[in-house]
Amino acid sequence: MPALPSWLIEPLWDQFAALLPRRSVFHPDHPLGCHRRRISDRIVFDKMLQLLRFGCSYEAIADTTCSATTIRNRRNEWIRLGVFARLKEIALESYDRIVGLVLDQIAVDGSITKAPGGGEAAGRSPVDRGKQGLKRSGMTDGSGIPLGRALAGANRHDSPLLAPTLDRLDDLGPLPDDITVHLDAGYDSATTRTLLNERGLHGRIARKGEKAPIQASRRWYVERTHAWQNAFHRITRCYERRATVIDAFFDLADTIITVRGLIRRAWTTHRWDERPSRRP
């Protein structure tokens, strides 16, 4: 069963393959040149998509074409090469060039998910009877495209994670002169306002004690993006223990969300060979 439709997998793989170094089928230093062939990168890439989408274990997704050890080793190799992070950067650059990122309106919010395996980015969850949980402080543009995140234990408050989340703006290149950051009532404090002023940002922060519909703003975009990310079960219930691996899966999920949004927006204005027959 494919993890994603073909009109989404193929452009992802084409760009992903372009970032991988060229390797021979056999190791050049082998004295006989007849040892087992290297598993195709495309097979492992498809397994990574299945892991992300379905949330199953490496052993459950492994089969005769690829072992669980090969998936882990190739995953670690790609993380060392920075392929996942670079893939996300290219997706954002493409979206900005074709559609345009709405960078004058930024939304930031936190989301707590389960982390049964614990690990570097896990902590006691205040909403899950003290079980291990993961908090991500996510940032999106004005239309909900994910721009970056900061990971922490579920016991961390949203407000201290605002600064490392906003640091992700430095990776986006030139920014508008006036940027408004939309935040919920959890950020309603003098510390948050001072932080925004020091960075030259305008804050639209919900007031504590007031009904949400009265002060609704663009922060619902980041809440919708959290829901999109939670559709990837590897993120919703995270068993990974290393923060670098978690970030890699998040980068892959954010890339899928960005490319899917790009195809949807470009479907009515552009034509290409692999264009879906129906608007996604």
Side-chain angles (χ1 to χ4, degrees), residues 38 46 49 87 97 105 109 123 145 150 153 181 191 202-203 213 215 226 228 276 279:
R38 174 182 169 91
D46 288 340
L49 292 179
L87 184 67
R97 183 174 64 252
Q105 304 290 332
D109 195 15
I145 298 300
V181 182
T191 303
H202 304 289
Q215 47 188 341
H226 281 317
W228 287 343
R279 187 178 184 186

Side-chain angles (χ1 to χ4, degrees), residues 195-210:
L195 172 65
L196 295 177
N197 290 333
E198 291 175 350
R199 294 173 178 252
L201 304 174
H202 304 289
R204 185 171 182 185
I205 308 173
R207 295 286 183 178
K208 294 179 180 179
E210 296 183 11

Side-chain angles (χ1 to χ4, degrees), residues 121 134-137 149-153 161 168 243 246-247 250:
L134 172 70
K135 170 168 283 191
R136 65 179 183 270
S137 176
R149 82 208 70 84
L151 301 178
L161 298 177
R168 302 296 185 270
I246 300 173
D247 271 321
F250 267 107

Side-chain angles (χ1 to χ4, degrees), residues 239-267:
Y239 285 92
E240 303 291 350
R241 298 183 59 84
R242 289 189 292 146
T244 54
V245 177
I246 300 173
D247 271 321
F249 276 111
F250 267 107
D251 286 338
L252 186 56
D254 289 350
T255 302
I256 293 171
I257 292 171
T258 303
V259 174
R260 184 175 60 193
L262 173 58
I263 293 175
R264 180 176 176 80
R265 294 288 297 273
W267 191 86

Side-chain angles (χ1 to χ4, degrees), residues 25 28 45 66 82 96 121 163 171 174 176 184 191 236 240-241 250 253 258 262:
V25 177
F45 179 75
C66 183
D96 192 27
D171 302 330
D184 64 17
T191 303
T236 308
E240 303 291 350
R241 298 183 59 84
F250 267 107
T258 303
L262 173 58

Side-chain angles (χ1 to χ4, degrees), residues 2-73:
L4 298 170
S6 60
W7 55 262
L8 188 52
I9 293 179
E10 293 307 321
L12 286 172
W13 166 247
D14 289 342
Q15 185 58 68
F16 193 88
L19 297 174
L20 298 178
R22 292 186 177 275
R23 297 183 183 275
S24 60
V25 177
F26 298 107
H27 197 285
D29 297 333
H30 194 275
L32 300 178
C34 58
H35 66 295
R36 187 168 53 186
R37 291 173 177 266
R38 174 182 169 91
I39 301 297
S40 169
D41 287 328
R42 176 60 192 268
I43 293 176
V44 182
F45 179 75
D46 288 340
K47 296 295 184 185
M48 289 290 292
L49 292 179
Q50 294 172 25
L51 283 169
L52 176 66
R53 181 66 181 86
F54 303 133
C56 50
S57 66
Y58 291 91
E59 287 72 18
I61 209 66
D63 54 22
T64 56
T65 64
C66 183
S67 68
T69 301
T70 299
I71 299 174
R72 292 190 182 95
N73 291 341

